Each structure stands twice: as structure tokens, then as C-alpha cells.
Amino acid sequence: GFLWTGTAVSLCFLVFRLTVKIRSFRRVYSDDCLVIFSWVLLLASSALWQVQSVNLYDLYAVQSGEKPLTLGFIDTNTQLLRSLTPFAILFYTCLWVIKLSFLLFFRRLGLNVRGQKMWWWCVLVITVLTWVATIADNNYKCSLEPIEFIWCTSDINKKENGLTHLQLIAALQSLSNSRGTPILAIAPWM
């Protein structure tokens, strides 16, 4: 319910944004196209999560002992693990596409401002590199290897690796956000 409600509400805001842009400027800009693309990524990740959520609940039930471990569970658990990689890529790409949309908006805003172009390119490079680092840091072996390998090795350093990954993602998010925020303050005064 919450997932699809959020997706539907974001669609309402997207339609509102596009309606205002078309009525006001008679066109959509490149930053709007990125927002549309990001929403499509959100829709895809929501659909993927909806399909796999049943398997996630089965995983919780088997882990808690409410359901027995069966061959059918092994297949559904394999599907769930295989879906984690595309979900993570869709989710993080959706976030970073929105950041790129903001960057394109600020570029258009400060197009004729001296000094803005070099700063904009620096922030763009940092933003793209943080996205690459975020995608590259995922532990793909834990979702793409054969299920026997995952079950045999997944407990080794699982908590430490998961915590380190979350800390890295938070740091990269902060880095890319903090590099984009000064554009808001600097652009009008350059």
C-alpha cells in the first residue's frame, strides 16, 4: 500500500510539474526529461519490489520457523536474491538522476554567469563518480552467485559488510548533496 501510494503521489507531482512547464514555457526542458526518467525507474523498482515482496515474507517466515524449508522456498529465495541487484541499481540510479536533474536546472539558471560553468562541471563529475562508487560497492556475489554459494558464505562478515556499505552510501550521498547545494547559494551572486 505505502509503496504504490508514494509512487502515485509522485506521479501527481510529476504531472503537475509538466503541466505548469508546458503552460508557462510551452516546452519541457532536459531536467524535466530526467525527472520523467527517474519516475519510470521508480515505477520499475516499485513493480519489482511488489513482485518480490511475497518472497521476502516467505524468507522471514522460514527464518522465524513459522514455515518449513522446502524446495519451493529455495527457488523463491533465489528469485528474491536475484532481484536485489536490479532493485539496488534502479533505486540508486533513480536518486542520482534526480540529482542530475537539479544540476541541469542550475546550469540553465546560471548559463551566462561567469565562473558557474567550471563549478558546474566539477559538481557533475563528483555526482557521477559518487553514483559509480555507490553502484560498484554493492556486494553482487550475495545475490548473483548460485544459491549454494550464497548460503554457505553469506554469514561471513555480513553485519560488518552491510554496515560499511550503508555508511559508504550515506557518505557518498552527503558528498554529492553538499557539492550541489553551494550552486543554489553561488549562482545568483556570480
Side-chain angles (χ1 to χ4, degrees):
F2 180 75
L3 178 69
W4 289 111
T5 302
T7 305
V9 168
S10 67
L11 176 62
C12 293
F13 281 111
L14 178 61
V15 169
F16 175 74
R17 173 191 176 123
L18 295 175
T19 303
V20 168
K21 289 281 184 103
I22 291 170
R23 285 187 180 168
S24 300
F25 302 110
R26 306 263 185 255
R27 64 177 291 197
V28 249
Y29 292 96
S30 54
D31 56 310
D32 299 316
C33 293
L34 284 179
V35 171
I36 293 168
F37 178 61
S38 181
W39 189 84
V40 170
L41 292 174
L42 173 68
L43 180 64
S45 65
S46 297
L48 179 62
W49 194 248
Q50 178 69 40
V51 169
Q52 292 301 323
S53 64
V54 174
N55 297 334
L56 184 64
Y57 290 125
D58 283 345
L59 174 64
Y60 292 152
V62 168
Q63 284 178 335
S64 67
E66 295 173 20
K67 281 180 132 179
L69 180 64
T70 63
L71 290 176
F73 169 76
I74 293 172
D75 291 337
T76 59
N77 191 254
T78 302
Q79 291 174 9
L80 173 66
L81 290 172
R82 298 275 188 273
S83 70
L84 293 178
T85 295
F87 178 77
I89 291 171
L90 286 169
F91 176 74
Y92 292 129
T93 303
C94 179
L95 288 177
W96 261 262
V97 167
I98 290 296
K99 292 177 184 201
L100 293 174
S101 170
F102 277 115
L103 284 174
L104 286 178
F105 171 74
F106 292 131
R107 182 175 185 212
R108 193 167 29 98
L109 199 63
L111 194 58
N112 296 321
V113 178
R114 187 176 42 87
Q116 176 72 9
K117 289 179 184 176
M118 187 182 76
W119 178 250
W120 186 87
W121 282 105
C122 291
V123 173
L124 176 67
V125 167
I126 289 171
T127 302
V128 170
L129 288 177
T130 56
W131 174 77
V132 168
T134 301
I135 298 299
D137 186 58
N138 274 324
N139 190 356
Y140 296 110
K141 278 191 166 192
C142 281
S143 61
L144 298 178
E145 291 287 332
I147 194 71
E148 298 82 14
F149 173 82
I150 295 169
W151 283 0
C152 291
T153 61
S154 65
D155 284 340
I156 301 170
N157 298 324
K158 185 183 351 180
K159 282 187 180 177
E160 291 82 11
N161 288 339
L163 185 58
T164 303
H165 176 71
L166 289 176
Q167 289 169 335
L168 177 68
I169 298 304
L172 291 172
Q173 277 275 23
S174 298
L175 175 66
S176 69
N177 289 345
S178 67
R179 295 304 97 205
T181 304
I183 291 179
L184 282 171
I186 293 172
W189 309 110
M190 292 181 108

